[in-house]
Amino acid sequence: MTETFSCAATERRASLLPRGEEGLPPVERLARFPVRLADGEYRDLSRLRLDARRLGRFRAGLRPAVAAQESLTRSAPMDLVEEGVRPGDFRVGDPLGAVLHILVTVDGLGVYADDDAQVEHPALEDMAITAAQRLLGLARGTLRSLARPRKNPADVERFA
């Protein structure tokens, strides 16, 4: 279980901030990150993370693997935010605090991963991206305009 979790989490994490996008400005790369994290395509990863966290309480060998993956998941967006702070793309006094807030928002949305009767609402769809914009000092709609299109474009103005 430990190896399976580590391999799957590593593979999915790499697809959240792909190496092929490293040449893009930090704001463009970060725009895609919360959308990908909150996307239905990552529902299986959310379920795996939830299961690994639960099982880690009872299986001592899994605990360090979960902690290592969580640390790596924090490091990737943290590096990106720090990269964006240097030239002033992001205006945030506490990059780690901002990243933790974004990740906790996504985790909060992820509690629905085990619920096959998904609650669907435009506010939930963009909650992580809205939080990221606010926390990083970006204008309303900035990240949404750089991320892939939504299912219902009319909702962009209400919840961006």
Side-chain angles (χ1 to χ4, degrees):
M1 169 103 189
T2 300
E3 286 182 38
T4 302
F5 168 72
S6 294
C7 288
T10 298
E11 182 181 309
R12 287 298 186 166
R13 187 180 45 260
S15 68
L16 292 172
L17 292 169
R19 290 203 184 276
E21 295 177 359
E22 286 179 348
L24 294 174
V27 69
E28 287 187 41
R29 292 183 67 213
L30 191 72
R32 297 168 181 173
F33 181 75
V35 171
R36 288 173 177 154
L37 265 178
D39 194 341
E41 294 173 23
Y42 289 90
R43 191 166 293 138
D44 288 340
L45 178 61
S46 293
R47 286 177 173 154
L48 179 64
R49 288 178 62 221
L50 287 170
D51 289 345
R53 283 178 179 169
R54 279 187 218 119
L55 288 173
R57 290 184 227 156
F58 309 107
R59 294 189 178 175
L62 186 56
R63 248 180 264 144
V66 171
Q69 291 299 325
E70 296 283 330
S71 177
L72 291 169
T73 299
R74 280 189 305 273
S75 296
M78 182 66 198
D79 293 344
L80 189 55
V81 168
E82 287 177 337
E83 182 183 334
V85 166
R86 284 190 288 277
D89 294 342
F90 302 135
R91 293 172 304 284
V92 58
D94 180 8
L96 177 59
V99 167
L100 290 172
H101 191 123
I102 293 164
L103 292 173
V104 168
T105 300
V106 170
D107 277 350
L109 293 168
V111 299
Y112 290 105
D114 277 344
D115 183 4
D116 288 328
Q118 294 286 306
V119 174
E120 298 215 10
H121 190 279
L124 291 176
E125 184 178 328
D126 265 0
M127 189 171 286
I129 210 165
T130 301
Q133 286 175 160
R134 183 179 49 79
L135 293 162
L136 299 173
L138 298 171
R140 184 178 172 179
T142 300
L143 294 180
R144 172 48 63 201
S145 69
L146 296 170
R148 70 171 180 240
R150 298 171 54 136
K151 293 175 192 165
N152 183 355
D155 292 330
V156 171
E157 288 303 311
R158 292 188 301 159
F159 298 102

